[in-house]
């Protein structure tokens, strides 16, 4: 009888141990008993051991997400509603991690194209090839979290907001130091909360990026914690449910982007300004030529050159398209980048562009001919 009692107690203890062996900070983790050890798959037959008493490093989380996405596993709670559904992967890539979970300074995403990142894994240089050298991993020491909350029934007490945000971050993200919440600003009209989280430059114990990544998942997707609750500060008896978040990263050293990789929108604005300056100079030269009785053909040739240059610029091959809210029919030309930049989209923009410059061209030629006609008569007398 005593032997049976001992066996029951041992089985009960084993069951209790199995239940307690879990990873509260990573819902995708698998845990083994005797002793309790948890890990997560970051590749085929590649299990990364985890310390579940703290936030999992962002680099390992991104690798796990990429692996699960490649294998068709859920990266969000609930999975796809239908097979044709698609999701935004939040700009993640397949990173290379150091043994302690930090990002390697150079990332290539398993391609021939590489770039340098900061300690949050965010690109801070132009992209290059495999010869790109990243001398060190630059630390991110300041995060700006722009949070938007859902509508409330009563106005928010802004004076209590900083303490409420700091306490919520401390409780939710494994005792994150609430003193690092440096400043909180609030815009009631837009329901926008701006939170500055800072650590001293040179400090390497606190990983700001891990907390920010967990918070992004809490707000945008679904929690990475085993607990399904989300980041929701309580102030004045009201729970703030967040509906959007934007994270800005400030490094100890400024990023080193160059002009060669400017976004298409900025390039288009520069093109607009350059064209406007060129057009203005040509018009000025035209009037000077008129009043100095220069040769008529010179004036016409200037406008012909301007017309041909801008007309050719107004249409680009489909492979050069930036963004368009309408899809051009196959084989047709599409609007130029200038119209994309100023918000005019679709094939109608191309028609408008060409029509405008046809009118401008013939009007200019007509004015030129009319202006020079008296001089022409005078010189033939």
């Amino acid at each position: 009888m005593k032997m049976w009692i001992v066996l029951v107690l041992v089985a009960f203890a084993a069951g209790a141990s199995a239940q307690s062996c879990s990873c509260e900070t990573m819902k995708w983790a698998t845990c083994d008993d005797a002793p309790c050890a948890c890990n997560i798959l970051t590749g085929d037959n590649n299990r990364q051991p985890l310390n579940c008493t703290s936030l999992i490093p962002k680099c390992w989380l991104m690798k796990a997400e990429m692996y699960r996405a490649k294998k068709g596993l859920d990266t969000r709670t609930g999975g796809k509603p239908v097979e044709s559904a698609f999701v935004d992967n939040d700009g993640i890539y397949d990173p290379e991690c150091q043994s302690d979970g930090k990002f390697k300074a150079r990332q290539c995403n398993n391609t021939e194209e590489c770039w340098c990142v900061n300690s949050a894994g965010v690109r801070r240089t132009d992209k290059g090839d495999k010869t790109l050298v990243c001398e060190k991993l630059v630390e991110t020491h300041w995060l700006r979290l722009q949070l938007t909350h859902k509508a409330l029934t009563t106005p928010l007490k802004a004076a209590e907001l900083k303490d409420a945000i700091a306490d919520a971050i401390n409780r939710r993200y494994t005792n994150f130091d609430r003193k690092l919440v440096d400043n909180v600003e609030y815009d009631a009209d837009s329901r926008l909360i701006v939170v500055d989280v800072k650590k001293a430059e040179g400090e390497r114990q606190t990983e700001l990026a891990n907390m920010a990544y967990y918070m992004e998942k809490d707000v945008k997707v679904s929690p990475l914690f085993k607990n399904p609750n989300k980041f929701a500060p309580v102030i004045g008896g009201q729970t703030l449910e967040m509906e959007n978040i934007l994270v800005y990263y400030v490094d100890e050293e400024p990023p080193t982007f160059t002009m060669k990789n400017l976004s298409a929108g900025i390039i288009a604005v520069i093109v607009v300004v350059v064209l406007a300056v060129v057009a203005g100079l040509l018009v000025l030269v035209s009037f000077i030529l008129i009043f100095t009785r220069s040769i008529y053909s010179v004036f016409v040739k200037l406008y012909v050159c301007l017309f041909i240059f801008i007309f050719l610029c107004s249409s680009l091959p489909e492979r050069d398209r930036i963004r368009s809210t309408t899809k051009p029919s196959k084989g047709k030309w599409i609007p130029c980048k200038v119209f994309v930049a100023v918000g005019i989209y679709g094939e109608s923009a191309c028609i408008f562009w060409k029509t405008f410059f046809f009118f401008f061209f013939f009007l200019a030629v007509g004015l030129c001919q009319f202006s020079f006609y008296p001089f022409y008569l005078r010189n033939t007398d």
Side-chain angles (χ1 to χ4, degrees):
M1 183 66 181
K2 291 182 179 180
M3 181 63 68
W4 282 106
I5 293 175
V6 170
L7 290 175
V8 170
L9 292 176
V10 169
F12 179 79
S17 175
Q19 289 180 356
S20 63
C21 186
S22 63
C23 190
E24 296 300 320
T25 56
M26 183 67 260
K27 63 183 180 182
W28 300 323
T30 55
C31 300
D32 301 319
D33 300 320
C36 180
C38 300
N39 57 72
I40 188 172
L41 277 172
T42 57
D44 292 329
N45 301 318
N46 185 12
R47 294 182 177 274
Q48 177 61 55
L50 302 177
N51 175 14
C52 295
T53 62
S54 62
L55 298 181
I56 309 304
K58 180 180 176 182
C59 192
W60 290 346
L61 292 175
M62 288 175 61
K63 283 195 75 68
E65 284 189 81
M66 289 297 295
Y67 175 74
R68 294 177 69 85
K70 289 175 183 177
K71 293 297 181 181
L73 301 173
D74 293 340
T75 57
R76 303 182 181 208
T77 300
K80 291 184 178 182
V82 293
E83 187 57 34
S84 60
F86 60 94
V87 297
D88 178 11
N89 286 326
D90 301 319
I92 66 172
Y93 57 93
D94 190 5
E96 294 184 49
C97 308
Q98 301 180 43
S99 59
D100 59 357
K102 295 180 183 294
F103 289 90
K104 290 187 176 180
R106 191 186 74 169
Q107 298 291 334
C108 302
N109 196 27
N110 298 319
T111 67
E112 296 299 316
E113 193 174 45
C114 302
W115 59 92
C116 300
V117 300
N118 58 17
S119 60
V122 179
R123 184 167 68 90
R124 48 175 281 109
T125 66
D126 295 324
K127 293 183 178 181
D129 55 24
K130 291 280 189 176
T131 62
L132 178 68
V133 176
C134 303
E135 296 180 355
K136 62 179 179 178
L137 185 67
V138 179
E139 188 76 11
T140 297
H141 74 101
W142 176 7
L143 296 177
R144 168 158 289 183
L145 312 172
Q146 290 190 180
L147 295 156
T148 306
H149 66 80
K150 295 181 179 179
L152 300 172
T153 54
T154 57
L156 193 65
K157 296 180 180 179
E160 303 175 7
L161 189 57
K162 181 179 178 179
D163 288 337
I165 293 289
D167 288 340
I169 290 177
N170 173 262
R171 290 194 306 270
R172 178 64 174 165
Y173 305 111
T174 61
N175 297 318
F176 187 87
D177 189 355
R178 67 188 312 279
K179 294 179 181 178
L180 297 181
V181 179
D182 180 69
N183 186 48
V184 175
E185 297 179 0
Y186 181 58
D187 184 350
D189 294 333
S190 59
R191 306 197 306 273
L192 179 66
I193 303 172
V194 179
V195 183
D196 285 328
V197 182
K198 295 181 181 179
K199 67 177 183 178
E201 292 191 28
E203 200 259 279
R204 296 293 183 267
Q205 300 300 316
T206 307
E207 291 292 341
L208 302 184
N210 296 346
M211 180 274 293
Y213 197 66
Y214 270 81
M215 185 181 290
E216 280 190 283
K217 296 302 180 182
D218 270 354
V219 176
K220 287 184 177 180
V221 195
S222 64
L224 293 173
F225 292 102
K226 194 172 182 180
N227 186 335
N229 295 332
K230 295 190 174 185
F231 174 71
V234 178
I235 178 170
Q238 295 188 98
T239 300
L240 297 182
E241 294 185 52
M242 302 300 172
E243 60 183 8
N244 198 14
I245 181 173
L246 181 63
V247 182
Y248 291 96
Y249 301 88
V250 181
D251 297 342
E252 293 181 349
E253 297 178 13
T256 56
F257 293 107
T258 62
M259 289 289 289
K260 69 178 182 179
N261 282 326
L262 282 176
S263 67
I266 297 177
I267 293 175
V269 171
I270 294 175
V271 171
V272 171
V273 173
V274 171
L275 288 178
V277 172
V278 172
L281 290 174
L282 288 175
V283 171
L284 178 62
V285 171
S286 301
F287 278 106
I288 293 175
L289 291 174
I290 290 175
F291 289 106
T292 56
R293 303 182 184 182
S294 296
I295 303 173
Y296 166 74
S297 60
V298 175
F299 181 71
V300 174
K301 288 177 181 177
L302 287 172
Y303 274 102
V304 169
C305 291
L306 175 64
F307 170 78
I308 293 174
F309 174 74
I310 301 182
F311 179 79
L312 292 176
C313 176
S314 68
S315 295
L316 297 172
E318 188 168 352
R319 63 177 179 272
D320 292 332
R321 185 172 70 232
I322 308 173
R323 293 180 294 115
S324 179
T325 56
T326 60
K327 184 177 181 180
S329 57
K330 186 177 181 181
K332 289 190 176 182
W333 298 85
I334 62 150
C336 70
K337 296 180 180 180
V338 176
F339 278 90
V340 176
V342 299
I344 303 176
Y345 300 92
E347 295 181 34
S348 59
C350 202
I351 297 172
F352 171 83
W353 179 266
K354 293 176 182 178
T355 304
F356 173 81
F357 278 101
F358 266 121
F359 173 78
F360 179 78
F361 172 71
F362 288 115
L363 177 63
V365 172
L367 290 175
C368 173
Q369 196 168 13
F370 177 80
S371 301
F372 274 95
Y373 188 68
F375 298 117
Y376 176 77
L377 292 179
R378 185 179 306 169
N379 292 332
T380 54
D381 286 340

